[in-house]
Amino acid sequence: MRFFELLNYQHVMGSILVALIVLVLFAVGLAFMPLVHSKNQTSPSKETHTFADNIEEGNGPFPLVLALIITGTLLWAIFYILYYGFSEVNI
């Protein structure tokens, strides 16, 4: 039981706000990532191999947004495990 009922509300709203901010940043990052491009556009990646149905393998850079998302997920998982391991909390 909490002494201040408003604290529960603030924690819920804080969690929802953080989740919304992460979702917006994720969506904006994916919106500007060049996943598909037309044949007319020139791209910095060079085509190295063409498979069936005109699927091309390119030699381009890895998108920064995906690198940040993967790194953030791995760091969160590691720190989550370490936090609960060192605090000796039974989950």
Side-chain angles (χ1 to χ4, degrees):
M1 180 173 123
R2 296 200 185 240
F3 294 113
F4 303 105
E5 287 298 323
L6 183 60
L7 195 57
N8 285 336
Y9 180 73
Q10 289 173 342
H11 283 162
V12 170
M13 288 299 120
S15 299
I16 291 173
L17 183 66
V18 169
L20 286 176
I21 290 171
V22 168
L23 284 174
V24 167
L25 290 176
F26 181 74
V28 168
L30 289 180
F32 290 106
M33 193 170 57
L35 293 175
V36 179
H37 59 84
S38 67
K39 287 282 193 180
N40 298 335
Q41 293 179 346
T42 59
S43 65
S45 64
K46 192 172 187 178
E47 178 185 339
T48 58
H49 188 76
T50 303
F51 298 101
D53 294 334
N54 290 329
I55 299 173
E56 299 172 353
E57 177 186 16
N59 189 14
F62 193 75
L64 178 63
V65 172
L66 286 180
L68 291 175
I69 290 169
I70 293 169
T71 304
T73 303
L74 291 176
L75 285 175
W76 174 83
I78 290 169
F79 286 124
Y80 183 82
I81 291 169
L82 290 176
Y83 173 74
Y84 281 108
F86 287 131
S87 65
E88 299 176 0
V89 174
N90 292 330
I91 300 177

